Amino acid sequence: MVPDIFHRDFTPTPYWWEAYTPTAGELVDVPREVRVAIVGGGYAGLSTALELAKHGIDAVVVEAKELGFGASTRNGGAVSGGVNVGKSFSGRSIEVDGDRVERVLSDASDAFALIDRLIDEEKIACFWEKPGRFVGAWAKNHFEVQSHRLAMLNAAAQSGAFMVPRERQREEIASDYYFGGMVVERSGKLHPALYYKGLLDACRRRDVTVCAKAAVTRIVRSGSAWRLETNRGTVLAGDVVIATYGYTGSLTPALKRRVVPIASHIIATEELPPDLARSLIPTGRTLSDTKRVLCYYRMSPDGMRMVFGGRARFTQVDATVSAPILYRYMIDRFPQLRGVKVTHAWTGNVAFTLDSLPHMGCRDGMHYCLGCNGSGVAMMTYLGCQTARKIARVANYACSFDTEEFPDHPLYSGNPWFLPVIGGYYRLRDSLDRLLA
Ligand SMILES: Cc1cc2nc3c(=O)[nH]c(=O)nc-3n(C[C@H](O)[C@H](O)[C@H](O)COP(=O)(O)OP(=O)(O)OC[C@H]3O[C@@H](n4cnc5c(N)ncnc54)[C@H](O)[C@@H]3O)c2cc1C
């Protein structure tokens, strides 16, 4: 039986869509010819187009659904500058070679600087704040592991990170759930759908053509150009950028084999009594934890609701399945929220890569920026911008995520049938970690 957690006004759509609902608007025709065609109209696609426009290069963004249909209006709005780079879907941070790890973290730090600058320059009203993040240690020994990463994060990504022992945890969160944790000061939060709308407006101000409901069905070489067939006409382009993230399909089979789409789920509560709302996360930071199957949460921009996310399941499931699981995770951390009602529950796809690193590059002559393993608000904006700078030939250094290597696996063809099994296994490992550590 589905527990009685749903508000009478419950809707299975993102809370963020109350402020901006993905829409096709007045359908703009697909142009016949353009210098650059970008497939996918999320942060990555729009940021590519915006940067190209700044260099006087005309681009079209072709989006299969409404504008903002993908992860870009569904996410938690937590913005990081390095702490999550290299985190695999096992929740573990991968080991990157000594030299490269510094470049990777430094680029991730640049991604944070870029989004900060972009929001300011384009005057995007999206509740952008930089209160920092608290990452709770799920098991006793996770606190030690976090302490070991501290110096690296501070040196390479200027994270301003420090440890918070369990005795002082209540300064961060009204809960004793974790074994202390790490604060990453150089982190922020925003309203993801309003940030999306701001990028869209910025593109339109620069006359970028953005076509909704124009699914690209085929891309073929045509002399030195590309012909993109969409369900609303064909466009010839000098360059193509694939920015389809966790929605990458059979249009680009080689890329489909290189990203694993994993569902992430979020609930938002009804407005809480003001004193209770203020008390939950006194610093206003965003929170996540060191679990393999991690949770991430924050207060809504008006400070009145809890917005709580996690991998309730690794696949897309109905809100009647995901919401009760997330609700239980929320009550584990905040028993004082028992009884509050859920007004919104939603889901979206995250693109994981097989080496756990974000990727941009060129394959079969087409550019791509794909995959960020869960933390993509800043990163996908950045990869789009870097891709544009490469096409415009104004990049003055090679981004560390732009490598020839983009691993696939002989047993993975793009159908992640194994995810429920993996999800169950990691949940078990999480329980054992907490029990045995
Ligand atoms: C529930 C959830 C929570 C998250 N929380 C956070 C967070 O707190 N912080 C953070 O940093 N990141 C978070 N992320 C990740 C972040 O949202 C993404 O990394 C980012 O939005 C990806 O942007 P994108 O432009 O690459 O992809 P998307 O926004 O997913 O856009 C890709 C688009 O490509 C389109 N497309 C696919 N195929 C075609 C085709 N053939 N033709 C035309 N269009 C096509 C799709 O319709 C889609 O709209 C979260 C993601 C989810 C799902």
Side-chain angles (χ1 to χ4, degrees):
M1 204 180 87
V2 178
D4 182 25
I5 58 170
F6 294 105
H7 194 271
R8 62 181 180 283
D9 297 331
F10 172 78
T11 155
T13 52
Y15 167 64
W16 314 120
W17 289 9
E18 309 263 313
Y20 167 78
T21 311
T23 164
E26 238 176 74
L27 281 189
V28 177
D29 286 343
V30 175
R32 286 164 171 247
E33 257 185 62
V34 73
R35 171 68 183 81
V36 182
I38 300 158
V39 186
Y43 299 145
L46 294 184
S47 154
T48 310
L50 183 61
E51 185 65 17
L52 284 170
K54 288 180 184 170
H55 295 284
I57 297 177
D58 71 315
V60 61
V61 178
V62 267
E63 164 56 48
K65 308 273 172 112
E66 296 78 18
L67 302 177
F69 166 84
S72 297
T73 61
R74 297 167 186 264
N75 61 73
V79 182
S80 59
V83 67
N84 282 340
V85 172
K87 212 167 191 188
S88 73
F89 53 76
S90 74
R92 289 281 156 272
S93 294
I94 49 128
E95 296 300 324
V96 187
D97 310 341
D99 177 36
R100 193 168 171 217
V101 78
E102 281 179 25
R103 291 183 52 225
V104 160
L105 285 174
S106 159
D107 279 343
S109 165
D110 284 354
F112 189 81
L114 171 75
I115 197 167
D116 194 21
R117 199 170 59 240
L118 198 57
I119 289 171
D120 181 46
E121 281 173 5
E122 300 297 338
K123 303 197 176 6
I124 300 179
C126 60
F127 298 95
W128 173 232
E129 285 177 64
K130 292 177 272 186
R133 174 179 306 195
F134 177 71
V135 186
W138 157 254
K140 229 184 213 161
N141 61 347
H142 289 187
F143 186 82
E144 301 307 318
V145 177
Q146 287 182 308
S147 318
H148 291 139
R149 286 194 77 209
L150 207 70
M152 172 69 83
L153 281 173
N154 287 339
Q158 294 81 47
S159 295
F162 59 88
M163 298 305 296
V164 177
R166 198 175 198 183
E167 310 82 76
R168 299 191 53 191
Q169 186 168 281
R170 286 225 163 221
E171 292 168 23
E172 299 293 332
I173 171 174
S175 168
D176 297 318
Y177 189 71
Y178 297 114
F179 291 88
M182 177 168 68
V183 166
V184 181
E185 280 193 314
R186 194 155 180 263
S187 306
K189 63 181 181 185
L190 46 66
H191 186 304
L194 288 180
Y195 171 55
Y196 179 83
K197 179 180 179 295
L199 280 182
L200 190 59
D201 291 344
C203 282
R204 286 177 169 152
R205 276 197 298 275
R206 286 178 179 77
D207 293 327
V208 172
T209 311
V210 185
C211 303
K213 292 193 175 283
V216 179
T217 50
R218 197 158 164 250
I219 306 178
V220 284
R221 265 275 179 217
S222 174
S224 60
W226 293 95
R227 201 175 77 241
L228 284 82
E229 293 170 11
T230 82
N231 54 359
R232 295 208 293 112
T234 297
V235 55
L236 267 187
D239 276 298
V240 174
V241 179
I242 305 296
T244 47
Y245 195 62
Y247 300 86
T248 302
S250 308
L251 174 71
T252 50
L255 294 174
K256 188 179 176 197
R257 281 206 318 273
R258 287 171 165 82
V259 291
V260 184
I262 298 188
S264 200
H265 309 270
I266 305 187
I267 53 174
T269 67
E270 63 186 326
E271 286 194 1
L272 305 170
D275 285 349
L276 175 62
R278 265 194 303 273
S279 70
L280 296 171
I281 308 175
T283 55
R285 303 195 206 278
T286 60
L287 281 93
S288 63
D289 52 44
T290 58
K291 275 176 87 175
R292 287 180 173 80
V293 185
L294 91 170
C295 292
Y296 50 90
Y297 44 105
R298 57 173 286 182
M299 299 306 290
S300 56
D302 63 5
M304 296 307 289
R305 299 163 190 256
M306 173 61 68
V307 179
F308 194 98
R311 277 179 220 128
R313 287 281 183 272
F314 274 38
T315 49
Q316 300 276 355
V317 287
D318 196 79
T320 51
V321 176
S322 61
I325 298 172
L326 291 175
Y327 194 87
R328 203 179 67 235
Y329 293 163
M330 180 177 79
I331 297 302
D332 287 346
R333 286 150 183 84
F334 298 110
Q336 59 272 51
L337 289 183
R338 192 180 297 282
V340 305
K341 299 289 185 203
V342 172
T343 52
H344 301 74
W346 67 98
T347 177
N349 281 355
V350 171
F352 279 78
T353 59
L354 298 179
D355 63 0
S356 311
L357 287 172
H359 279 273
M360 61 175 271
C362 205
R363 178 163 287 274
D364 305 328
M366 282 183 272
H367 298 274
Y368 60 82
C369 40
L370 291 174
C372 66
N373 306 345
S375 289
V377 176
M379 183 54 74
M380 296 316 297
T381 305
Y382 180 73
L383 292 187
C385 176
Q386 289 298 328
T387 303
R389 294 178 67 79
K390 195 173 155 186
I391 293 171
R393 297 181 194 280
V394 292
N396 46 14
Y397 81 110
C399 171
S400 64
F401 303 116
D402 185 0
T403 55
E404 297 245 316
E405 259 172 71
F406 190 179
D408 60 354
H409 192 283
L411 294 180
Y412 179 59
S413 62
N415 172 14
W417 56 269
F418 46 83
L419 287 179
V421 182
I422 290 201
Y425 172 69
Y426 287 142
R427 269 182 214 104
L428 177 68
R429 295 279 308 270
D430 276 336
S431 308
L432 291 176
D433 272 2
R434 189 147 164 118
L435 218 70
L436 304 176

